[in-house]
Amino acid sequence: MPQISKIEEKLTSKIYCTSAPLELFAYSTHDEVDAHIDSLSMIDECVRKHLHGSKFQRVRVFDAMFRQMKYSYPL
């Protein structure tokens, strides 16, 4: 199961000080990002809920094992 709490923590609790636009780049090195049922919808729900109040402009999720971008919001 993906660690949704890690994405939520970065969107809500971490402090980032920069004037440059930020993108959150989350990745999985061992398991497929979408191997768990509803994992991408769980990620999407978290991002849509917390992105607006964060310092980030975009969230991307990458599957390092298969070298594929699995999720990007907004496109």
Side-chain angles (χ1 to χ4, degrees):
M1 190 166 161
Q3 294 181 346
I4 306 296
S5 62
K6 293 292 185 183
I7 295 172
E8 182 178 345
E9 176 185 14
K10 291 183 183 301
L11 291 173
T12 62
S13 301
K14 297 287 185 172
I15 306 293
Y16 302 95
C17 297
T18 181
S19 58
L22 289 176
E23 291 192 9
L24 175 58
F25 188 80
Y27 61 93
S28 172
T29 57
H30 302 294
D31 298 318
E32 293 181 58
V33 172
D34 54 353
H36 183 269
I37 296 173
D38 294 330
S39 60
L40 290 178
S41 64
M42 292 166 49
I43 291 169
D44 186 59
E45 181 180 340
C46 175
V47 170
R48 288 175 185 267
K49 181 177 180 181
H50 299 292
L51 181 63
H52 181 69
S54 77
K55 298 280 187 180
F56 294 96
Q57 293 184 335
R58 178 176 286 125
V59 175
R60 298 178 188 268
V61 178
F62 184 74
D63 187 325
M65 190 164 83
F66 291 100
R67 298 181 180 196
Q68 294 178 336
M69 187 68 62
K70 292 292 188 168
Y71 175 85
S72 181
Y73 182 84
L75 298 174

